[in-house]
Amino acid sequence: MKEKVKIAVFASGSGSNFAALENACREGELNAEIALVMTDKPAAFVVERAKQAAVRVVAVEPKAFPTKKAFEKTVIDILRQAEVEWIVLAGYMRLIGPDLLAAFPSRIVNIHPSLLPSFPGKDAIGQAIAHGVKVTGVTVHLVDEGMDTGPILAQEAVRVVDGNTEMTAQSIHAIEHVIYKETLQKLFVANAIN
Ligand code: GRF
């Protein structure tokens, strides 16, 4: 694969997965360029991380638009202008709507901190601990119209640390930061036009 794949990272939170992907791009482990970070939360820590890494940040707040359709039209226009090929969700806390899905068919990827289909939605680690499971994990999947329901690309199991949410979360994040870059690299190679 010669050309770097242009990606947009969508994030609403701390951005540790963004940082891991940005590092992987710089180190050449991921043959991609992060064209921009798209956030719906201008105060999120990912914005600081992106600025430090000199990656463009675009903050688009849904509340500034009358409808989800209008919000997504603006997002799509920005992505098209930046020639983005893939959308990589990394802690983006919003369901992708039909217009954005149609604009990037099978080209939106998500990472989720559980072994899907167990524990979809918010606070997956808390859900797993509350359920008393001994093993949870990480899933990377293509995004469809559902909540964490698209085709699974990769999974890895993580042992629950004695019902301890924080320590379990640490183990999960450590796995996420490796599995995401590796899965994306395989995906981009598989989809490259020779
Ligand atoms: C990760 O656990 C990811 O799986 C989930 O949201 C979290 C984002 O963490 N979708 P960070 O903002 O990348 O640190």
Side-chain angles (χ1 to χ4, degrees):
M1 190 165 47
K2 294 162 248 129
E3 301 263 314
K4 288 192 179 190
V5 177
K6 278 203 175 187
I7 65 175
V9 176
F10 280 37
S12 312
S14 139
S16 72
N17 279 283
F18 157 74
L21 293 175
E22 194 277 326
N23 191 61
C25 290
R26 256 188 301 110
E27 297 291 321
E29 296 169 296
L30 181 55
N31 191 31
E33 175 195 336
I34 303 178
L36 57 93
V37 166
M38 178 72 69
T39 188
D40 57 333
K41 297 254 187 294
F45 188 57
V46 69
V47 172
E48 292 308 312
R49 292 196 203 250
K51 282 182 181 164
Q52 275 177 24
V55 172
R56 179 183 171 203
V57 177
V58 180
V60 186
E61 290 184 273
K63 68 180 180 201
F65 297 85
T67 60
K68 184 159 185 157
K69 195 172 184 66
F71 164 68
E72 290 206 334
K73 184 186 181 315
T74 296
V75 169
I76 292 165
D77 287 348
I78 292 164
L79 297 174
R80 293 265 186 257
Q81 270 175 24
E83 299 180 334
V84 165
E85 297 163 275
W86 290 83
I87 297 175
V88 175
L89 308 184
Y92 186 66
M93 301 305 285
R94 218 160 261 290
L95 209 54
I96 302 297
D99 292 328
L100 192 46
L101 275 172
F104 289 83
S106 298
R107 292 220 160 208
I108 308 179
V109 191
N110 185 40
I111 189 161
H112 185 77
S114 76
L115 290 177
L116 291 171
S118 292
F119 311 127
K122 284 187 186 164
D123 191 22
I125 301 171
Q127 290 184 53
I129 300 273
H131 205 91
V133 298
K134 304 300 176 205
V135 174
T136 184
V138 174
T139 302
V140 179
H141 66 96
L142 289 176
V143 172
D144 65 9
E145 62 287 341
M147 171 81 80
D148 303 319
T149 50
I152 290 171
L153 300 171
Q155 286 188 307
E156 194 163 329
V158 175
R159 194 171 291 278
V160 171
V161 187
D162 288 336
N164 182 319
T165 309
E166 199 155 304
M167 285 174 74
T168 304
Q170 274 180 22
S171 306
I172 284 184
H173 292 315
I175 299 288
E176 286 185 334
H177 299 161
V178 177
I179 198 173
Y180 215 4
K181 65 182 177 187
E182 290 181 352
T183 306
L184 289 170
Q185 177 61 16
K186 284 185 199 150
L187 188 65
F188 296 160
V189 168
N191 281 274
I193 299 161
N194 298 308

